[in-house]
């Protein structure tokens, strides 16, 4: 009998990693993500809980770090099977993994130098993996999955990737195999998109499944109305620009940045955007945006309309990409009328800190938070209303107006998840993963009430029999 075990993202939202063992011994790993958040570093260093050398196939649902972030470690520890993902996911994962390795290497060097001065350099843990390890990952066999086309990955095993509408390249994965004369269909949702997402299309339905592993990040709630959210965002932009100020938007490089660009472009087209300069000041977000443009056919209707009407999805006359440090520094000289989009999304590092240092003290400026700010991050402190922040050893008084706009999300909410489940015919077991325990309990109850099915909350490493 086939077994599924979760070695990450069971009763938590990061570290996605599920292993499907078939009766014939074939082992298929679905995602191999990084645990994220304070104090999770140790967990990433721990043993996987299975032998990477014995994994035959790795399927990647999408390129977020919490789904791909431990792949170089998997390869370093002996995995040499085949990797299957959509073409866009491979390209985006490359950007994400190189960026992640670079950050870890930089952090290691800084900590090493500091420890050296105390004579304790031996105590500094080496990076989880390096740029070379990421390069090695690309030497393995890659198979590109096309949406909706069954793909044979081993004898008697087919996979079908369907657009999950979450980020570029994202997919739900169906694994079909025969055991004891019966064809089994196991589905992993990966992360599912938000119905109101401006950039991505709506998640595609899955016709049938014997067993479903579904994410439950927002299984406990429904999102705020998107129209209201966009209205709020536009109002903050207009008010600040008309008041001769500048707008700073801390943003995640993948998906949220492209969504922000879409709204700004829409404002420009509708003549709602006062004359200004929009800077995308993040090398990673620039790379991601180019990839979103390249694969524009996989995006939602709004993006395709933009592409059809002016030959590019995101570009418009006010937009500038500032890749190198020099052009990024030049933004500081602008007195008014700048919209600066920079990372990191939670303000824990990156170019956003320079912009904060230069602009937070001025009451004409504003900061618009468009993404979740985790506890303990600089972004969260600002959202919570602190009056002073310390950036690069300098105390900065916050006089800029702070807007927190909560309605954006790349994840399905409870209603989206329930609707998606309700479309699956002959649905057998429902297993909840990728969610916090309390939220999963609420979601489980909602599934019982609205779909009339029982769902099971998967515990870490628990063996689930097909
Ligand atoms: Zn994701």
């Amino acid at each position: 009998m086939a077994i599924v075990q979760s070695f990450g993202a069971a009763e938590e939202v990061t570290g996605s990693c599920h292993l499907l063992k078939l009766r014939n011994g074939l082992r298929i790993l679905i995602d191999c993500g990084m645990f994220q958040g304070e104090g999770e570093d140790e967990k990433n260093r721990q043993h996987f809980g299975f032998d990477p050398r014995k994994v035959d196939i790795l399927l990647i649902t999408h390129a977020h770090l919490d789904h791909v972030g431990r792949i170089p470690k998997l390869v370093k520890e002996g995995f040499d099977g085949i990797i299957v993902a959509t073409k866009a996911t491979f390209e985006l994962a490359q950007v994400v993994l190189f960026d992640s390795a670079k950050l870890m290497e930089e952090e290691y060097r800084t900590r090493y130098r500091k420890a050296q001065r105390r004579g304790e350099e031996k105590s500094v843990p080496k990076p989880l993996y390096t740029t070379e390890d990421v390069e090695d990952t690309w030497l393995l066999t890659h198979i590109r999955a096309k949406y909706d086309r069954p793909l044979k990955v081993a004898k008697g095993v087919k996979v079908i990737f369907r657009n999950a509408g979450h980020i570029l390249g994202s997919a739900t994965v169906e694994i079909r195999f025969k055991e004891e004369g019966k064809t089994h269909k196991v589905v992993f949702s990966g992360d599912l998109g938000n119905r109101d997402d401006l950039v991505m299309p709506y998640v595609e339905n899955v016709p049938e499944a014997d067993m479903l592993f579904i994410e439950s990040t927002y299984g406990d709630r429904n999102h705020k109305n998107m129209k209201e959210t966009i209205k709020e965002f536009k109002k903050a932009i207009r008010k600040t620009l008309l008041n001769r100020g500048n707008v700073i938007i801390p943003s995640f490089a993948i998906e949220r940045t492209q969504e922000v660009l879409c709204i700004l472009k829409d404002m420009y087209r509708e003549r709602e955007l006062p004359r200004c300069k929009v800077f995308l000041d993040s090398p990673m977000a620039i790379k991601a945006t180019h990839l979103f443009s390249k694969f524009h056919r996989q995006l939602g209707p709004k993006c395709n309309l933009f592409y059809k009407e002016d030959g590019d999805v995101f570009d418009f006359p006010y937009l500038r990409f500032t890749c190198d440090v020099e052009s990024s520094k030049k933004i500081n000289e602008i007195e008014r009328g700048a919209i600066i989009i920079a990372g990191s999304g939670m303000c824990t590092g990156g170019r956003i800190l320079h912009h904060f240092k230069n602009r937070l003290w001025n009451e004409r400026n504003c900061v618009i938070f468009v993404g979740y700010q985790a506890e303990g991050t600089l972004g969260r402190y600002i959202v919570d209303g602190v009056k002073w922040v310390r950036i690069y050893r300098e105390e900065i008084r916050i006089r800029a107006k702070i807007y927190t706009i909560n309605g954006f999300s790349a994840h399905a909410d409870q209603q989206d998840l329930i609707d998606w489940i309700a479309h699956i015919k002959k649905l057998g077991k429902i297993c909840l993963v990728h969610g916090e325990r309390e939220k999963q309990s609420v979601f489980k109850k909602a599934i019982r009430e609205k779909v009339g099915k029982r769902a099971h909350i998967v515990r870490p490493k628990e063996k689930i029999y097909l």
Side-chain angles (χ1 to χ4, degrees):
M1 202 183 263
I3 305 172
V4 179
Q5 267 180 296
S6 292
F7 294 96
E11 300 179 322
E12 61 188 333
V13 287
T14 64
S16 264
C17 187
H18 314 284
L19 184 65
L20 166 67
K21 287 186 228 168
L22 302 194
R23 202 175 168 202
N24 65 7
L26 192 83
R27 288 166 187 234
I28 304 174
L29 194 65
I30 298 92
D31 289 335
C32 191
M34 193 179 267
F35 294 102
Q36 291 173 297
E38 245 177 302
E40 294 289 58
D41 189 42
E42 196 39 52
K43 233 159 133 185
N44 288 315
R45 292 179 184 279
Q46 275 168 13
H47 188 267
F48 279 106
F50 55 87
D51 187 350
R53 291 170 301 181
K54 289 190 179 152
V55 175
D56 302 285
I57 301 164
L58 167 64
L59 308 177
I60 311 175
T61 62
H62 67 288
H64 268 148
L65 200 61
D66 62 329
H67 291 256
V68 298
R70 281 189 294 162
I71 296 176
K73 175 178 148 83
L74 189 79
V75 175
K76 218 165 97 171
E77 294 180 12
F79 168 69
D80 67 348
I82 59 170
I83 309 182
V84 189
T86 62
K87 188 168 189 268
T89 291
F90 277 133
E91 295 197 23
L92 205 51
Q94 205 161 2
V95 174
V96 168
L97 289 177
F98 276 115
D99 181 76
S100 153
K102 215 183 82 200
L103 282 178
M104 288 192 290
E105 284 169 339
E106 275 168 17
E107 197 191 315
Y108 171 73
R109 277 196 295 271
T110 312
R111 287 179 70 182
Y112 189 88
R113 270 198 304 272
K114 282 185 183 166
Q116 220 173 12
R117 292 196 279 268
R118 297 192 306 267
E120 293 170 355
E121 65 269 30
K122 283 203 180 93
S123 66
V124 182
K126 288 249 162 37
L128 190 63
Y129 49 82
T130 61
T131 350
E132 284 88 52
D133 296 324
V134 178
E135 278 162 10
D136 289 347
T137 306
W138 257 260
L139 298 176
L140 297 181
T141 309
H142 289 62
I143 297 181
R144 289 175 191 158
K146 285 200 172 128
Y147 285 134
D148 310 317
R149 299 235 189 117
L151 177 73
K152 189 180 166 190
V153 291
K155 192 169 173 274
V157 184
K158 280 184 185 163
V159 295
I160 305 176
F161 282 61
R162 295 184 176 90
N163 200 329
H166 171 59
I167 62 166
L168 179 70
S170 65
T172 63
V173 180
E174 176 184 329
I175 306 168
R176 276 189 206 171
F177 56 94
K178 261 194 177 166
E179 241 171 46
E180 289 153 354
K182 185 181 174 257
T183 303
H184 295 275
K185 294 173 183 173
V186 181
V187 172
F188 291 86
S189 75
D191 288 354
L192 296 172
N194 174 354
R195 167 196 315 266
D196 293 327
D197 197 296
L198 295 178
V199 177
M200 300 307 299
Y202 190 50
V203 52
E204 237 185 285
N205 288 324
V206 169
E208 283 179 18
D210 304 318
M211 192 188 270
L212 168 68
F213 284 79
I214 184 167
E215 68 124 323
S216 38
T217 320
Y218 291 112
D220 65 328
R221 71 185 75 175
N222 287 325
H223 295 319
K224 256 173 76 180
N225 181 300
M226 191 62 179
K227 272 195 186 128
E228 286 302 313
T229 300
I230 295 175
K231 219 164 113 186
E232 228 179 290
F233 177 84
K234 287 182 174 177
K235 207 171 145 194
I237 297 265
R238 281 180 59 83
K239 198 173 166 198
T240 310
L241 292 179
L242 294 173
N243 193 26
R244 302 156 76 89
N246 302 284
V247 179
I248 309 175
I249 307 175
S251 185
F252 299 102
I254 296 168
E255 206 281 329
R256 190 59 36 83
T257 289
Q258 290 75 36
E259 213 167 0
V260 165
L261 290 178
C262 251
I263 303 175
L264 293 173
K265 179 164 177 166
D266 207 28
M267 287 178 80
Y268 170 80
R269 285 165 55 107
E270 300 297 325
R271 297 173 194 276
E272 291 173 324
L273 187 63
R275 183 169 288 279
C276 63
K277 285 184 175 144
V278 180
F279 296 97
L280 181 54
D281 190 29
S282 153
M284 183 164 159
I286 293 170
K287 282 182 204 153
T289 303
H290 287 319
L291 285 177
F292 271 71
S293 292
K294 180 177 165 183
F295 293 97
H296 63 88
R297 282 194 188 88
Q298 297 176 18
L299 305 181
K302 181 138 225 152
C303 290
N304 274 295
L305 177 82
F306 287 171
Y307 183 82
K308 208 171 124 196
E309 291 188 353
D310 54 33
D312 194 277
V313 182
F314 303 103
D315 202 22
F316 65 101
Y318 295 172
L319 181 63
R320 313 267 184 282
F321 287 166
T322 46
C323 216
D324 58 280
V325 177
E326 278 318 303
S327 44
S328 170
K329 280 184 182 161
K330 279 220 168 83
I331 301 173
N332 298 342
E333 294 164 17
I334 296 175
E335 275 184 33
R336 59 187 165 92
I339 299 177
I340 306 159
I341 306 164
S344 68
M346 295 191 198
C347 318
T348 48
R351 292 183 183 176
I352 194 77
L353 297 183
H354 294 276
H355 298 300
F356 275 176
K357 190 175 162 182
N358 285 309
R359 314 252 180 209
L360 275 183
W361 57 270
N362 189 331
E363 71 269 4
R364 279 188 193 280
N365 298 334
C366 84
V367 182
I368 308 181
F369 285 97
V370 290
Y372 174 71
Q373 304 297 314
E375 245 168 87
T377 60
L378 177 62
R380 179 63 169 263
Y381 288 124
I382 298 177
V383 163
D384 285 347
V386 293
K387 294 279 172 260
W388 293 87
V389 281
R390 192 176 166 83
I391 298 172
Y392 296 124
R393 295 196 197 116
E394 217 176 294
E395 302 292 329
I396 316 281
R397 175 85 164 102
I398 302 182
R399 287 205 199 96
K401 178 126 183 51
I402 308 297
Y403 295 94
T404 309
I405 298 185
N406 285 322
F408 294 104
S409 177
H411 279 273
D413 62 10
Q414 190 189 76
Q415 193 57 49
D416 292 338
L417 293 168
I418 294 278
D419 287 348
W420 188 72
I421 295 175
H423 274 95
I424 305 176
K425 294 202 181 79
K426 296 185 196 159
L427 182 55
K429 212 169 192 170
I430 303 175
C431 297
L432 308 186
V433 290
H434 199 290
E436 289 159 13
R437 191 67 175 75
E438 310 79 65
K439 295 181 181 177
Q440 290 181 317
S441 299
V442 178
F443 186 35
K444 183 178 161 160
K445 210 166 146 232
I447 294 175
R448 183 95 177 122
E449 281 164 12
K450 295 177 182 169
V451 196
K453 292 212 179 270
R454 267 180 201 283
H456 171 72
I457 298 172
V458 177
R459 292 184 303 277
K461 295 181 191 168
E462 178 192 0
K463 285 182 177 160
I464 310 257
Y465 293 88
L466 206 71

